[in-house]
Amino acid sequence: MTRLLVTGGAGFIGANFVHQVLESTDDVVTVLDSLSYAGNRASLPDDGPRFRFVRGSVADPALLDDLVPRHDAVVHFAAESHNDNSLLDPSPFIDTNIVGTFELLQAVRHHDVRYHHISTDEVYGDLELDDPARFTETTPYNPSSPYSASKAGSDLLVRAWVRSFGVRATISNCSNNYGPYQHVEKFIPRQITNLIDGVRPRLYGAGLNVRDWIHVRDHNLAVLRILEAGTIGETYLIGADGELNNVTVIRLILELMGNDPDDFDHVTDRPGHDMRYAIDASRLRAELGWAPVYPDFRAGLAATIAWYRDNEAWWRPMKDQTEAKYARTGQ
Ligand code: NAD
Ligand code: DAU
């Protein structure tokens, strides 16, 4: 039995992680989450013998000093995670992603607690559509947006705390996740919930940008495997060979929801929009024996659509506010 402190557990990936841990292990979980606009207590179970929710910030050193030593490992999901928001106001991205990670690193250092840092493939910048290369653990950092720059900064702090202070940390950089409990600001849930509302999906620019989709449960299974058998100080890239361009995804959502696949609108492009992400997960596969359990994107997307249809009470309170923000930027 391990006592896990999961930061950002009321967000998309963290909430799925908590459910998976409670289902598949006998670990005890504490979630530390500030319940920002992106956090939702309703994504998590009620408090009980194996689960406790604490509302607070990862940038609060006194709270960390109390919580961290009561756990065997910290899994750090908490972040400001949306590129579009970072273009409107980068400030909370610096506070949570950089200062928050710094405070957590200080706490795990002082209390000698194992730490796993959740990061993104976006730290590597983007690839051309025809580039045969994919990102690997040795690709140089080259982030494009305030979001990805803040994640890159946090990764570099982790590496420095491992080398300088002997912190027992691992890092994973994953590609685009999809699945249940994702905020409706993100591409796939935004289009699904628009269609439920009878609104046409919105494609940024020409829609040729490629993302490397992975089911959120496969991401979390990789994180669990790294916690179990990863080498301290190492970085692992997580991806499931799921490259698709945005127009293909939007057409598939339309088809699966019984609409004409051409029934979408092109809207203002994202400034500095990364063209392509692609992950080479060979290290994770070869060294830790991980492989995706949910590799069928069409089936995963159909299940995700069903989840949003069945859980309107979960996403409805965030929908109008999210669309009002997009309306202001012509998106
Ligand atoms: P999310 O925005 O859905 O959830 C983030 C959570 O962090 C929310 O519950 C929020 O309330 C919480 N939070 C924000 N600031 C906080 C603070 N100061 N203290 C405590 N909690 C705070 O994000 P997500 O999509 O679940 O992403 C989780 C992590 O995975 C992030 O680190 C992100 O960079 C990374 N990641 C995401 C993807 C993806 O496709 N979504 C892919 C790769 C990596
Ligand atoms: O690659 C991992 C990253 O994936 C994570 O680090 C981020 O936290 C996560 O948000 C995601 O970033 P993206 O910017 O790729 O995801 P997003 O869902 O915002 O957009 C996916 C693609 O869809 C991107 O090319 C922009 C486009 N898009 C997005 C929205 C919201 C549209 O065409 N229309 C839209 O309405």
Side-chain angles (χ1 to χ4, degrees):
M1 187 271 282
T2 303
R3 297 165 302 166
L4 291 177
L5 179 62
V6 178
T7 74
F12 163 46
I13 306 175
N16 279 283
F17 181 80
V18 170
H19 288 292
Q20 287 175 255
V21 167
L22 294 177
E23 281 158 27
S24 66
T25 72
D26 61 359
D27 293 348
V28 170
V29 177
T30 306
V31 161
L32 170 62
D33 196 298
S34 62
L35 295 183
S36 77
Y37 81 94
N40 192 339
R41 181 66 183 81
S43 303
L44 291 166
D46 293 335
D47 283 14
R50 290 182 56 212
F51 178 73
R52 183 162 80 103
F53 180 82
V54 176
R55 184 172 189 176
S57 173
V58 291
D60 178 344
L63 179 58
L64 295 178
D65 204 37
D66 177 45
L67 279 179
V68 167
R70 294 197 253 146
H71 295 84
D72 304 306
V74 175
V75 187
H76 179 35
F77 290 95
E80 287 290 333
S81 69
H82 193 37
N83 276 296
D84 291 325
N85 291 345
S86 79
L87 297 165
L88 295 172
D89 179 12
S91 177
F93 290 75
I94 306 305
D95 294 343
T96 289
N97 301 1
I98 297 185
V99 178
T101 299
F102 160 74
E103 296 294 357
L104 258 185
L105 284 168
Q106 289 289 77
V108 294
R109 171 189 169 199
H110 290 132
H111 298 288
D112 188 24
V113 172
R114 169 86 167 88
Y115 174 83
H116 182 71
H117 184 72
I118 304 290
S119 191
T120 169
D121 58 359
E122 296 195 17
V123 299
Y124 301 113
D126 63 349
L127 298 161
E128 298 296 332
L129 291 180
D130 60 358
D131 192 333
R134 297 191 291 171
F135 300 138
T136 71
E137 285 79 4
T138 57
T139 302
Y141 274 39
N142 186 27
S144 316
S145 74
Y147 162 65
S148 50
S150 68
K151 292 297 292 188
S154 69
D155 292 10
L156 296 181
L157 291 178
V158 179
R159 291 182 184 194
W161 261 242
V162 171
R163 177 148 175 182
S164 301
F165 304 121
V167 162
R168 293 181 290 128
T170 41
I171 300 176
S172 55
N173 297 78
C174 188
S175 59
N176 284 65
N177 286 220
Y178 75 99
Y181 298 109
Q182 188 169 28
H183 195 283
V184 295
E185 69 188 352
K186 301 289 176 13
F187 179 52
I188 287 178
R190 184 181 185 206
Q191 316 310 335
I192 294 170
T193 52
N194 274 357
L195 283 168
I196 291 172
D197 280 349
V199 174
R200 287 160 68 90
R202 306 276 157 82
L203 190 65
Y204 291 177
L208 299 180
N209 312 67
V210 169
R211 296 294 181 264
D212 190 353
W213 293 101
I214 182 172
H215 195 280
V216 62
R217 292 182 74 91
D218 278 332
H219 179 180
N220 287 331
L221 288 170
V223 171
L224 284 168
R225 188 71 195 123
I226 295 165
L227 275 172
E228 188 177 56
T231 303
I232 296 303
E234 285 297 339
T235 292
Y236 297 88
L237 264 56
I238 306 175
D241 303 328
E243 282 188 71
L244 289 171
N245 70 23
N246 294 340
V247 72
T248 302
V249 173
I250 234 167
R251 288 172 64 88
L252 187 55
I253 293 171
L254 279 156
E255 184 208 316
L256 289 170
M257 294 185 72
N259 296 77
D260 180 338
D262 292 324
D263 231 354
F264 61 86
D265 291 325
H266 293 271
V267 296
T268 310
D269 206 351
R270 173 183 286 170
H273 196 171
D274 279 343
M275 185 48 79
R276 171 174 164 242
Y277 306 137
I279 290 273
D280 178 349
S282 301
R283 169 181 281 173
L284 182 69
R285 287 173 181 264
E287 293 181 16
L288 299 186
W290 172 90
V293 176
Y294 306 91
D296 182 342
F297 182 71
R298 188 188 174 90
L301 191 57
T304 302
I305 291 168
W307 189 87
Y308 281 90
R309 280 197 167 123
D310 291 345
N311 290 278
E312 184 167 338
W314 180 88
W315 58 264
R316 177 60 67 194
M318 334 162 187
K319 184 66 180 167
D320 286 353
Q321 211 180 343
T322 304
E323 288 305 315
K325 194 155 59 179
Y326 279 127
R328 289 197 286 278
T329 53
Q331 290 170 318

